[in-house]
Amino acid sequence: MTRLLGWWRRMAPTLVALGVALVITALFILIIGENPLRALAALFDFGETSVAQANSIGVWINRAAPLFLAGLAVSIGFRMGLFNIGVEGQYRIATVVAAGVGAALVLPAPLHVLVIVVAAMAAGAVYAAIPAVLKVTRGVSEVISTIMLNSIAIALAAWMVRVPFVDPDLGPGENVATRRIAESGQFPGLNELFGVIGLEEPRRPVHGFVVVAIVVGIVMAIVLSRSRFGFELRATGLNPFAATANGISSKAMIIKAMLVSGALAGLVGLPDLLGSAHRFQADSFVSGYGFTGIAVALLGRNKPVGIALAALLFAFLDRAGPSLQSEGIPPAAVIIMQGIVVLSVLVVDEVARRGMLRREERRARAQDPATVTEEVAR
Amino acid sequence: MDNADQDVTVEDDEPAVVQLTGITKRFPGVVANRDVHLDARRGEVHAVVGENGAGKSTLMKILYGMYQPDEGTITVDGELVRFHTPKDAIDLGIGMVHQHFMLADNLTVLENIVLGAEPRRGIRLDYAAARRQIRELSDRYGLGLHPDRLVEELSVAARQRVEIAKVLFRGARVLILDEPTAVLVPQEVDALFSNLVQLRTAGLSVIFISHKLDEVLQVADRITVIRRGSTVATVEPGTTTSRQLAELMVGSELPTPQTAESTVTDHVELAVTDVTITSDDGPDLLRDISFDVRRGEIVGFAGVEGNGQSELVEAIMGLRSLDAGRVVLGADDVTQWSAHRRRVSGVGFIPEDRHRQALLLDAPLWENRLLGWHSQEPAGGRFWINPKSARAEAAQIMTDYDVRAPGPETLAAALSGGNQQKFVIGREMSTQLRVLVAAHPTRGIDVGAQAAVWDRLREARAAGLATVLISADLDELLGLSDTLYVLFGGRIVAKLDPADVTPEILGSYMTGATPAEAGPADDPGELA
Ligand SMILES: Nc1ncnc2c1ncn2[C@@H]1O[C@H](COP(=O)(O)OP(=O)(O)OP(=O)(O)O)[C@@H](O)[C@H]1O
Ligand SMILES: [Mg+2]
């Protein structure tokens, strides 16, 4: 009961913030001369037929998994006050490498996937190590260097697809891409699962990698709250001076946090790659998860469960883009709404924190003062 | 009802500038103030004393508008007032210097003083006028300020004077000082008190908190004693001794640090040899520092703050790289070891600035228990921490060291200054240690708890602990140390036997003067 209450206390400000965001977005839609109620309906419109609905849910899942992983990657740095803006570049590089490595090998199914996953994580970590090393040895701000490395990543990825990993059997006029990963290196979809629980099977693949994302989320939750690394991360974030004075080397922490963050970033592109694309092609590569991941991490307050909810919310809004468009509302409304959600959460959070403090004080006042002092002032 | 009438004592011939009546303030799980009465008159130095966690800082923060009382009233010049923010208090001429300084290091004295109260001419900042005003203040009250110096270059005492000037600059008539003398050496305390006397003469009121009862008796006109959140008495120094004050505060005798018989062994646990740390500009921070600490020995370091103490501590703890010299722990040369490796080999650390270096203020006490020892079983570990046993250990420390707080889940920030310090001491000393580096271990701790900490240090010494003690409290140094060194300008200028050295002799070494008759002191030349 108290747990439920505590949970409600923590969630309430976010729900209020969501309400505020909804109202502001409605105002915006009014201003551009459309009907906010129709927009709201479009937001929750999953389609007419049961196939369309199943498709919609599939899109939602496919979008949420990489956002969750990206948010998780960003949050690792945030926890110690390190701004890894470079998740975007890290997952692009990692995805190319994973595609290249995956296509170059043929192994038994689970092993093949495992190798691809490890390659992606390693590539992400290595690419994240660059800003970490720059910061530790030269004091370069990770914000600047990761932003720069994002641009470099686009060029580097393009070169890797064109030269080392290029598919030699491309037809004339076809866009450059890596070779297709063999069947053994593909991740089974969730489509059949839809049938099992009595829904229509979606027509397009639903990425099964979401299961891996959930497992990673659980593992990270445990690592952050129970491991020495998690503690050191938290301590460094709370008071870097005290952490250093007590033997937690801030340089080592920068390196470790960036490596973990980069390794997680490496997973961001895999749901798409292993679930449906099976090759890397610059034009069909979905970019932007790394940036949205920053907002997701902020909204989720750097906690795995929060990030999961935030990723679901953002994916839900993203999914509604096309149906909004059919109502004559620009899909940018979705992005505006996402921005407003994050902003209002930050504002409402602060207001709620103060209110909570006042309530705590009132609660203390209500308790019998005499007994309390005795207990405290032994 | 009848009693109530009798309780009202009309003793003031002069009206109070500020008067706090029946103040009660509750925090979650704690009543910090309960029905407290306090008044300050014009031209008075009013001391507030009490145990750690008695509610002194809280009361002062209420008077300064940082907290709102749950019950009770504040009057200024006889008028009932209600403060919502410190700004309201400042507007009525009430200013406060906090227990932990709040200056911006990288700004100048001038900038720090005007920050938030910028003098304007039109929309432009009028620095010339501000500079003039600061000079005036500085001259009138003997504060000796240089408006254009950077705050980070200043000694602690000078920073404190900047804080005072900052408050005066805003037109304060009532000055609140929370433990101003805790960070000062005796000479600086005297200087501060002469400043306070000047303020008093100019008709200002000063309310100050201190744990050093002798000083309180020396400078205060009246003393209010707070015990467990309530006012116990307001007394005049002429009619009270520090022993009586202590009894009012804690109901126990005033402790005197006494060295028990020596427990020093021949086994050198920590050897520091020719340690030098240079500075990019200016003189070396440390120069050829050599000393041994044996098992069962407490080696004390005296010195005016800023003469190399911090650097020495950092050198021993591995927080700063040496330009020359070695640090040897037992049989191991640890000069190249990381701070963490030194720590886990059994070196405890009580840093000088607990807020900055010893605590995670926004974390619960059990997490603070782990800090520094998070890789040690059972609460910590090589890969995993164990919150359950960390909670149990935190609770144990709270019992053993009389840390007054609701429980291990309490945030460190919610503890009173002295209780935070007691927790840090408990954390360090409840691990099996070989060496303890303690900087100002009893700073901000009340007399009762101070005696307890001294006892702990002596017990640990008897059990074979090698202790490096750095302190600004000369009685503490003389009472605890087996060997005493004086640091001046980054060098050891004297090695003394605490058994036959007086605070006066020590004081003159600390200020760089060699006493004419050095008495029992070894010739410093021998050390070179
Ligand atoms: N912000 C806060 N939240 C919760 N409890 C608090 C807070 N501030 C102080 N307290 C509690 O109120 C009590 C009084 O604290 P206060 O800081 O006033 O003590 P103090 O007399 O100044 O002690 P010290 O000599 O150790 O500085 C303590 O038990 C402390 O834990
Ligand atoms: Mg205090």
Side-chain angles (χ1 to χ4, degrees), chain A residues 201-281:
Chain A
E201 279 192 29
R203 293 287 171 271
R204 265 163 292 159
V206 179
H207 303 153
F209 203 78
V210 67
V211 177
V212 177
I214 293 170
V215 171
V216 168
I218 294 171
V219 169
M220 284 319 292
I222 296 172
V223 164
L224 290 175
S225 65
R226 286 301 176 89
S227 75
R228 177 176 159 189
F229 169 73
F231 176 79
E232 292 181 335
L233 204 61
R234 203 157 53 243
T236 310
L238 285 171
N239 184 349
F241 300 108
T244 319
N246 286 284
I248 302 171
S249 152
S250 57
K251 291 188 174 175
M253 284 316 292
I254 291 171
I255 302 271
K256 282 189 212 168
M258 281 304 270
L259 288 181
V260 172
S261 181
L264 288 174
L267 297 174
V268 172
L270 294 189
D272 283 327
L273 180 72
L274 301 182
S276 54
H278 305 308
R279 68 195 322 194
F280 184 94
Q281 194 195 35

Side-chain angles (χ1 to χ4, degrees), chain B residues 51-58 61 99-100 178-179 209 211 354 415-418 444:
Chain B
E51 280 183 289
N52 291 129
K56 305 178 296 294
S57 300
T58 305
K61 286 176 186 167
Q99 194 164 358
H100 300 97
D178 195 348
E179 298 195 30
I209 298 177
H211 288 297
R354 57 183 169 242
L415 265 60
S416 80

